[in-house]
């Protein structure tokens, strides 16, 4: 416990002296960019060992996104960090009124992408122990490029992580399961530490009979079986009408043959389950199901073939938890309304996908459901848009990130009012002895003129909080 406390206290001390200047943050971003450029081969090798992921998939799913995020932050950081003026009222017309984004302090990042750390906060970085080669490489490389007094990587197990969670952080950022997310939030509550939780869940994919089914299945197949189904926003299951179920199976079969040839196990583009524990968990989910495609497995290689399961019923085990593997159940529904009811009867997902050529279907799905994000007529791709916030809602998480949203999430937005000593007569309205005339004056001076017909009351000055 003492060691964990020393780590956090040491980071807090360094944060006070080093993190705030904008130039320092930019230097750290440039160093991080050098890391992923100069050591790309090492990163690719680590992911090959952890997931059997090839070079091209690593570039597509990791390096391009991280590099774009770093470049965006470096180019726009000055704008993000600049004071943000706000509208004034008559009382503050001659004053400076603005929002000042500030780094929070010491952040604990659990299983999240490491480039978030270079936004001005000190950070304890804890990669997932399941990806042991990637975690070991991260611990080795980051001190060679980044300020090792500001960013510390820990690769210990569950017990050490629990001890770290007992320390006081200024923010905790966690990516993983809802079960662990609740434990993280419970630990954070002891210090009133804010959290960002990106938790996944069962992301539904509704395929309307009025759509280009061939194109829909091509995109679903890519999104579901990329990284062997181990992405937090992979389509978890398909909802469709019974009349098109067999057609969907047929089109997915064609696409699998195109993507991975006759034997996905031999394909350089097909990954593996992260370890045998998760292999056993995923395989057990198929017990009650009818296999339409795939189903082959090899425990010694943590290999499960791309698998489609048909006529899956809502009470089956596979429908009770996030799959996080290459299994795609199909649940039949009688039309759009039943699909919406099915989705709404369950926890809010991190992502929702709908394929349809009917604008009314799309509108109803967007209006009558809730999810962290949504992509229409594709899967995963909303994640690639830097200007869109990425995050969950309800059981799929809280908070958001991506581009400026990441900066805002990991910043404190400080309300600033810098007043002049002039125009003291305006303050008579708030000083005793209070009269009806002074009250009228206070009311007049506390409004902001937004439009000729609309007024916004600003209550911050005239309605001071009173603690009883």
């Amino acid at each position: 416990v003492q060691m964990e406390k020393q780590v956090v206290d040491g980071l807090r001390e360094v944060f006070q002296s080093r993190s705030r200047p904008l130039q320092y943050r930019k230097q750290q971003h440039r160093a991080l960019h050098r890391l992923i450029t100069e050591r790309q081969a090492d990163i690719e090798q680590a992911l090959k060992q952890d997931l059997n992921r090839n070079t091209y998939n690593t570039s597509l799913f990791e390096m391009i996104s991280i590099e774009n995020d770093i470049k965006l932050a470096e180019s726009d950081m000055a704008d993000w960090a600049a004071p943000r003026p706000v509208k004034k009222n008559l009382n503050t017309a001659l004053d400076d009124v603005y929002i000042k984004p500030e780094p929070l302090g010491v952040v604990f990042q659990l299983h999240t992408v490491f480039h978030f750390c270079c936004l001005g906060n000190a950070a304890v970085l804890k990669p997932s122990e399941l990806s042991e080669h990637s975690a070991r490489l991260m611990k080795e490389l980051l001190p060679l490029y980044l300020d090792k007094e500001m960013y510390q990587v820990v690769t210990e197990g569950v017990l050490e992580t629990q001890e770290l969670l007992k320390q006081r952080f200024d923010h905790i950022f966690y990516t993983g399961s809802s079960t662990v997310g609740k434990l993280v939030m419970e630990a954070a509550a002891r210090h009133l530490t804010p959290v960002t939780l990106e938790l996944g869940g069962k992301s539904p994919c509704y395929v309307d009979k009025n759509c280009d089914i061939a194109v829909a299945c091509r995109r679903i197949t890519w999104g579901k079986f990329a990284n062997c189904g181990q992405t937090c926003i992979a389509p978890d299951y398909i909802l469709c009408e019974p009349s098109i179920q067999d057609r969907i199976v047929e089109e997915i079969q064609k696409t699998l043959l195109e993507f991975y040839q006759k034997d996905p196990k031999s394909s350089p583009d097909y990954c593996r389950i992260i370890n045998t524990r998760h292999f056993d968990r995923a395989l057990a989910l198929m017990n009650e199901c009818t296999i339409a495609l795939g189903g082959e497995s090899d425990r010694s290689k943590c290999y499960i073939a791309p698998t489609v399961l048909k006529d899956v019923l809502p009470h089956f085990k596979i429908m009770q938890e996030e799959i996080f593997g290459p299994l795609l159940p199909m649940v039949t529904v009688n039309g759009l309304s039943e699909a919406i009811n099915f989705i709404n009867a369950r926890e809010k997902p991190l992502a929702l996908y709908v394929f349809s050529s009917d604008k009314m279907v799309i509108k109803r799905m967007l209006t009558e459901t809730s999810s962290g994000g949504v992509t229409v007529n594709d899967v995963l791709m909303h994640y690639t848009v830097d200007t869109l916030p990425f995050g969950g809602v309800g059981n799929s998480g809280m908070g958001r990130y991506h581009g400026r949203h990441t900066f805002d999430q990991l910043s404190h937005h400080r309300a600033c009012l810098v007043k002049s000593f002039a125009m003291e007569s305006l303050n008579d309205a708030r000083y005793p002895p209070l009269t009806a005339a002074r009250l009228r004056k206070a009311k007049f001076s506390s409004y902001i003129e937004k439009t000729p017909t609309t007024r916004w009351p600003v209550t911050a000055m005239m309605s001071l909080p009173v603690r009883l």
Side-chain angles (χ1 to χ4, degrees), residues 65 98 103 174 184 284 291 317 343 414 420:
S65 173
Y98 57 91
Y174 169 74
V184 170
I291 297 173
K317 184 179 180 182
I343 293 167
R414 194 177 191 181
S420 164

Side-chain angles (χ1 to χ4, degrees), residues 246-440:
D246 289 341
R247 171 81 193 283
I248 290 173
V249 171
E250 179 186 330
E251 293 297 339
I252 291 176
Q253 186 174 32
K254 289 180 186 176
T255 306
L256 286 172
L257 188 61
E258 175 192 349
F259 287 180
Y260 306 117
Q261 290 74 56
K262 292 182 178 180
D263 181 17
K265 190 175 183 181
S266 303
S267 170
D269 292 299
Y270 192 68
C271 297
R272 298 295 184 267
I273 298 294
I274 190 69
N275 59 29
T276 53
R277 181 168 69 87
H278 282 283
F279 172 92
D280 293 338
R281 178 197 60 81
L283 209 62
L285 296 177
M286 287 198 290
N287 286 344
E288 305 162 285
C289 303
T290 301
I291 297 173
L293 293 173
E296 300 83 10
S297 64
D298 181 348
R299 192 175 190 273
S300 68
K301 303 293 185 182
C302 288
Y303 167 79
I304 300 177
T307 299
V308 178
L309 308 165
K310 64 185 296 187
D311 298 320
V312 172
L313 298 178
H315 67 270
F316 285 5
K317 184 179 180 182
I318 199 168
M319 295 303 296
Q320 310 310 311
E321 63 180 77
E322 181 180 8
I323 296 168
F324 212 68
L327 314 177
L328 182 58
M330 299 180 66
V331 179
T332 57
V333 290
N334 293 313
L336 176 63
S337 295
E338 189 172 320
I340 290 172
N341 291 338
F342 188 94
I343 293 167
N344 289 339
R346 286 152 182 80
E347 296 284 3
K348 295 178 181 179
L350 183 57
L352 184 149
Y353 305 112
V354 52
F355 288 84
S356 180
S357 301
D358 188 330
K359 291 182 179 179
M360 185 55 65
V361 170
I362 296 167
K363 182 178 180 180
R364 283 194 61 194
M365 190 63 78
L366 291 176
T367 303
E368 299 178 31
T369 64
S370 177
S371 62
V374 60
T375 294
V376 175
N377 294 331
D378 209 340
V379 296
L380 277 61
M381 295 307 292
H382 63 290
Y383 180 84
T384 67
V385 184
D386 287 332
T387 48
L388 285 176
F390 181 77
V393 59
N395 205 59
S396 60
M398 61 186 68
R400 63 202 179 282
Y401 62 96
H402 261 183
R404 182 169 182 158
H405 301 288
T406 307
F407 178 85
D408 287 341
Q409 187 73 31
L410 295 178
S411 298
H412 168 59
H413 292 76
R414 194 177 191 181
C416 300
L417 169 61
V418 182
K419 289 192 69 69
S420 164
F421 284 107
M423 305 292 286
E424 175 64 8
S425 62
L426 284 175
N427 293 325
D428 289 346
R430 60 184 164 109
Y431 295 152
L434 296 176
T435 64
R438 288 191 172 189
L439 184 60
R440 285 194 298 273

Side-chain angles (χ1 to χ4, degrees), residues 11-29 77-78 80-83 100-106 117-122 147 150-151 170 407 410-414 416:
L11 286 171
R12 197 175 304 283
E13 184 177 339
V14 174
F15 165 78
Q16 295 296 340
S17 62
R18 204 172 298 178
S19 68
R20 295 176 186 247
L22 195 61
Q23 190 56 36
Y24 170 82
R25 301 188 218 177
K26 288 187 174 183
Q27 288 171 355
Q28 295 303 299
H29 271 92
M77 178 77 74
W80 297 348
K100 185 175 184 292
E102 298 178 338
L104 290 169
V106 181
C117 65
C118 297
L119 297 173
N121 297 295
D147 185 341
M150 274 282 285
Y151 313 113
D170 297 292
F407 178 85
L410 295 178
S411 298
H412 168 59
H413 292 76
R414 194 177 191 181
C416 300

Side-chain angles (χ1 to χ4, degrees), residues 110 171-178 180-186 188 195-200 350 390-401 409:
L110 274 158
H171 196 94
I172 298 175
F173 202 126
Y174 169 74
T175 297
S177 69
S178 298
V180 177
K182 291 173 184 177
L183 297 176
V184 170
M185 194 170 181
E186 183 180 349
V195 296
T196 301
L197 304 175
E198 193 256 275
L199 304 178
L350 183 57
F390 181 77
V393 59
N395 205 59
S396 60
M398 61 186 68
R400 63 202 179 282
Y401 62 96
Q409 187 73 31

